[in-house]
Amino acid sequence: MPVRANPYETLCPGQKSGTVIVCDHASNEVPSEVGNGSLGLPPEEMRRHIAYDIGAAGVAAGLSRLLGAPAFLSKFSRLVIDANRDESDPTLIMQISDGTIIPANRNLTRSERERRLASYHRPYHDGLESLLSEIADPVLVSVHSFAPRLKGFKIRPWHVGVLFGRDDRVAKPLVELLKLEKGICVGVNQPYSGQLPGDTLNRHAAQKGRRHVLLEIRSDEIATEEGQEKWAERFAPLIQRATR
């Protein structure tokens, strides 16, 4: 399906709770002018984690509602261009992801790369910064999901990962609160490092002294609406306590 005119969507934009929920990989949509609207991939590939973060948008929407906080969601697939990467990052536009070749991204021209930056990546970040600038001392909470297992790798044991860089003002108390929850395996800066230069949290929070945290939830936990609501309800009070 073609991407909407705006490369992002804001839920509850008038809310000023102090917390801003962001979901960089909310959508698997591909604009019609990019790879004929499919990137050369069949629909089943676009439903995989390589195209978006499964369930993350639903959790972000639930947190927005429960916290009375604005949520900022991407409206284009990470395979079009990755909103959570710096412009100089070599993984900004992936040619292969978890064993799948992305036909429309092979032999990408410089002009097409620039067009995607100008049409999607830069407007996305400009929009997020504009939203953050309207709120005094905002706390940025980024919501992602991760695959239980990548091809050729071991099963990932964590139910949720809490990611952060050098600023652990939100992450540290949140980790401690999560460890008190029964039946949850918590990863600290797992399954990825929270220190990626130029990513969304680094760009909009760490570099500007804003409090922040990134939540990575295993996608099989939030593949359904029921799972998304469950985790939003679990996280909402913990985020409130961790950000006080």
Side-chain angles (χ1 to χ4, degrees), residues 60-234:
L63 288 174
S64 174
R65 185 183 72 256
L66 294 167
L67 295 173
F72 191 88
L73 283 65
S74 69
K75 296 300 297 179
F76 55 91
S77 171
R78 66 194 303 172
L79 294 180
V80 172
I81 191 166
D82 197 327
N84 194 38
R85 294 293 185 274
D86 184 74
E87 290 191 16
S88 64
D89 194 301
T91 64
L92 178 70
I93 300 177
M94 295 289 282
Q95 296 185 44
I96 184 170
S97 181
D98 195 22
T100 296
I101 293 172
I102 319 303
N105 292 350
R106 298 185 69 185
N107 303 315
L108 198 71
T109 65
R110 184 176 298 178
S111 61
E112 174 60 12
R113 180 182 184 277
E114 179 60 31
R115 191 183 69 79
R116 295 191 199 181
L117 280 167
S119 298
Y120 309 104
H121 194 274
R122 290 170 187 156
Y124 177 84
H125 286 284
D126 289 345
L128 177 56
E129 186 57 36
S130 177
L131 174 62
L132 290 167
S133 67
E134 296 173 358
I135 301 171
D137 190 26
V139 178
L140 193 58
V141 176
S142 183
V143 180
H144 290 253
S145 71
F146 64 93
R149 185 175 188 172
L150 297 180
K151 292 181 179 179
F153 290 86
K154 295 180 180 179
I155 292 176
R156 293 160 161 175
W158 313 281
H159 296 103
V160 61
V162 178
L163 278 59
F164 58 95
R166 289 176 291 181
D167 186 341
D168 64 358
R169 287 177 290 173
V170 178
K172 185 176 181 179
L174 184 58
V175 167
E176 295 305 314
L177 289 167
L178 281 167
K179 286 181 177 179
L180 297 176
E181 296 278 306
K182 292 182 179 179
I184 300 180
C185 181
V186 182
V188 179
N189 276 329
Q190 295 286 356
Y192 311 108
S193 169
Q195 302 186 48
L196 182 62
D199 71 356
T200 297
L201 285 190
N202 177 266
R203 176 174 178 169
H204 296 282
Q207 292 184 21
K208 298 178 182 294
R210 293 167 174 155
R211 290 177 292 159
H212 59 276
V213 68
L214 191 152
L215 309 177
E216 283 276 5
I217 308 169
R218 206 172 66 198
S219 61
D220 58 343
E221 291 282 324
I222 55 174
T224 65
E225 291 184 4
E226 181 182 5
Q228 294 157 24
E229 187 65 19
K230 168 189 166 184
W231 276 95
E233 290 177 349
R234 172 172 265 171

Side-chain angles (χ1 to χ4, degrees), residues 20-83:
V20 174
I21 311 299
V22 63
C23 190
D24 294 314
H25 302 144
S27 175
N28 61 353
E29 295 182 48
V30 179
S32 57
E33 68 271 16
V34 177
N36 294 318
S38 70
L39 294 169
L41 294 172
E44 58 267 25
E45 289 286 355
M46 293 304 298
R47 290 192 290 267
R48 292 182 62 213
H49 68 93
I50 63 172
Y52 72 127
D53 280 0
I54 296 168
V59 175
L63 288 174
S64 174
R65 185 183 72 256
L66 294 167
L67 295 173
F72 191 88
L73 283 65
S74 69
K75 296 300 297 179
F76 55 91
S77 171
R78 66 194 303 172
L79 294 180
V80 172
I81 191 166
D82 197 327

